[in-house]
Each structure stands twice: as structure tokens, then as C-alpha cells.
């Protein structure tokens, strides 16, 4: 964590929590909010059906509403998809793009992520762009090559990052496995990503961009991860489903 950047912790609920379960989480979590460090920014990304309900709970608070994905097209004949305008209308402020589960399950690629981030930028929503290598790629010594290739999704933005842009380093082998990257491994990847941002968008933009770590973050390992100067918070799946754990992560991010 670097003092010049505001720490950010995002709950990625994935395909968990019905709207009713999400409301119960909000009642519990929001009662803890006054005790949490104010300088830590927090966001919750529920599944689409729970967005509006969670949004109503979050509206009077400082916790932001996030979405897990968005479609590349603005509207029209795309059965089952959700547009940027729909997300904006229910109060979504940030949207995950390029999560490894979508790369894997939906075969989405960099060209899709570029289009999604452009739509979000046009609508004034923050993209949270997720990158990360598989175990095979890491073992093959290809981590930086893979991250560099994933960062090409930003090439279409000229020399200015999308407003509110957030980067998330999520090694695929660490997601949902209980095997987080060591703080040193994560710090190396974050430093590499910040250097890429600097080459591409300049030192000031790179220094201002938050890079989150994701992959088996828990209240037990968060403090050591967040202590690294290039790690600006977390994108958290499993541990974000439990109000007390998500609160503990906010505390770790504010320490
Ligand atoms: P996890 O998921 O915290 O359950 O590992 C993180 C993510 O996929 O964003």
C-alpha cells in the first residue's frame, strides 16, 4: 500500500447469493461500516439479479456498487446479456472486465475487453481489468509475457487510461484454491504491471493507478499482501461472502 493511493477492496460474489441472501449480508456488513477505516474504498459486485437490491442498501453509504461483467454492445438482440446503460441506471460505479473465469468459461479475449472498457469509459463507469497467469504459464517462466499480452487490451486507449481505471492481478492458480500468491510473488507481478503502465501511459498515470491483488485473499493473509507498496487492495471472492471477513479485509487495507 502506498500512501498516495486510496486502498480499494472489492467483493466479487461471483454466482453466489440470491437477492434475499445479499440483503442479509448488507444488513450485517453495513452495521459494521462505522467501525471500518474511512480512507479505504469498498465495493460489492453481486450477481445481476441482486444488483438493484444491494444498490438500495448501499446508496446511503460510502460502499460502491460494482458489477461482474457487461456486454460489448450498447443494446439490442443479445439474449441474456446486460448493457452498460442498464448497469449505470441501477447505480453501478465499477465493473469487472476480463476475469479469468470469463476468459475460461466464455472464451473472452483482449479484443472483447477493449470494447467493454470503451463502453464503460464512455458511460463514466470504472473498469476493473483483471489479468493473471495460469500455473502452467508460471511454471514455464512465462508470467511476464502473459501479463504483457493481457495488457494489450489497453492499447486502444491512446495515451490516456480510461477514467477511474483499476487493474487487478489475479493469478489463475490462486483463485478459489486457498493458495494465495506470496506477498513477494504478488509484489513482483504488481511492479511489472506498474512498469508497463508507466511505459504506456506515463509515470504519473502509473503512480495514480490502483493495482489490486486477487486470489485466495483472507483475513489471515491480507495484511502481509497489502503491506507491499505496489499492492493497493484486493479483489476478493470467497472471503467477501462473510460480512465479518469482508470487514476484516477493510481493516487490513486501512492499516
Ligand atoms: P477468491 O476469488 O478470493 O475466492 O480466490 C478471487 C477472484 O476471483 O476475484
Amino acid at each position: 500500500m502506498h500512501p498516495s493511493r486510496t486502498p480499494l477492496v472489492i467483493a466479487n460474489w461471483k454466482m453466489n447469493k440470491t437477492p434475499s441472501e445479499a440483503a442479509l449480508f448488507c444488513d450485517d456488513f453495513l452495521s459494521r461500516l462505522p467501525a471500518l477505516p474511512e480512507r479505504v474504498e469498498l465495493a460489492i459486485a453481486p450477481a445481476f439479479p441482486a444488483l438493484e437490491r444491494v444498490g438500495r442498501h448501499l446508496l446511503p453509504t460510502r460502499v460502491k456498487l460494482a458489477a461482474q461483467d457487461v456486454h460489448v454492445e450498447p443494446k439490442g438482440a443479445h439474449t441474456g446479456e446486460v448493457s452498460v446503460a442498464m448497469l449505470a441506471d441501477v447505480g453501478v460505479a465499477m465493473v469487472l472486465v476480463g476475469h479469468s473465469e470469463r476468459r475460461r468459461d466464455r472464451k473472452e479475449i483482449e479484443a472483447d475487453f477493449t470494447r467493454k472498457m470503451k463502453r464503460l469509459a464512455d458511460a463514466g463507469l470504472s473498469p476493473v481489468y483483471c489479468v493473471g497467469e495460469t500455473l502452467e504459464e508460471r511454471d514455464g517462466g512465462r508470467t511476464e509475457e502473459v501479463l504483457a499480452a493481457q495488457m494489450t487490451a489497453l492499447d486502444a486507449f491512446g495515451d490516456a487510461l480510461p477514467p477511474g481505471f483499476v487493474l487487478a492481478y489475479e493469478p489463475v492458480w490462486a483463485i478459489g484454491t486457498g493458495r494465495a500468491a506470496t506477498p513477494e510473488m504478488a509484489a513482483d507481478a504488481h511492479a511489472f504491471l506498474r512498469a508497463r503502465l508507466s511505459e504506456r501511459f506515463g509515470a504519473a498515470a502509473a503512480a495514480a493507478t490502483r493495482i489490486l491483488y486477487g486470489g485466495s485473499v483472507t483475513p489471515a493473509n491480507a495484511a502481509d499482501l497489502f503491506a507491499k507498496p505496489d499492492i493497493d487492495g484486493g479483489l476478493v471472492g470467497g472471503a467477501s461472502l462473510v460480512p465479518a471477513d469482508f470487514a476484516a479485509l477493510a481493516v487490513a487495507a486501512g492499516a
Side-chain angles (χ1 to χ4, degrees), residues 46-72:
F48 290 141
L51 271 177
E52 189 168 16
R53 186 122 169 228
V54 170
R56 262 189 256 127
H57 281 263
L58 300 187
L59 191 61
T61 78
R62 62 189 181 82
V63 183
K64 297 207 162 106
L65 185 65
Q68 298 176 18
D69 190 49
V70 66
H71 193 59
V72 293

Side-chain angles (χ1 to χ4, degrees), residues 12 14 99-101 170 174-177 214-217 235-239:
N12 174 15
K14 310 189 180 185
H99 193 281
S100 63
E101 287 155 14
E170 295 209 310
I175 295 178
T177 58
S216 297
V217 175
L235 176 55
V236 187

Side-chain angles (χ1 to χ4, degrees), residues 76-101:
H78 301 285
T79 302
E81 300 293 351
V82 170
S83 73
V84 168
M86 294 169 186
L87 297 180
D89 194 67
V90 294
V92 166
M94 31 178 88
V95 180
L96 308 186
V97 174
H99 193 281
S100 63
E101 287 155 14

Side-chain angles (χ1 to χ4, degrees), residues 13 21-31 44 54 57-58:
W13 284 352
E21 290 164 347
L24 288 175
F25 176 99
C26 288
D27 284 339
D28 184 329
F29 179 71
L30 293 175
S31 72
I44 298 176
V54 170
H57 281 263
L58 300 187

Side-chain angles (χ1 to χ4, degrees), residues 133-143 169 171 173 181 185-186 189:
E133 81 287 356
T134 63
L135 189 57
E136 197 188 348
E137 289 160 348
R138 174 164 282 269
D139 288 347
R142 296 178 51 222
T143 297
Y169 170 60
W173 48 271
M185 275 173 163

Side-chain angles (χ1 to χ4, degrees), residues 10 16-17 35 51 96 108 113 141 162 226:
I10 304 176
N16 295 296
K17 294 199 192 290
L51 271 177
L96 308 186
E108 290 182 7
F113 308 140
F226 298 165

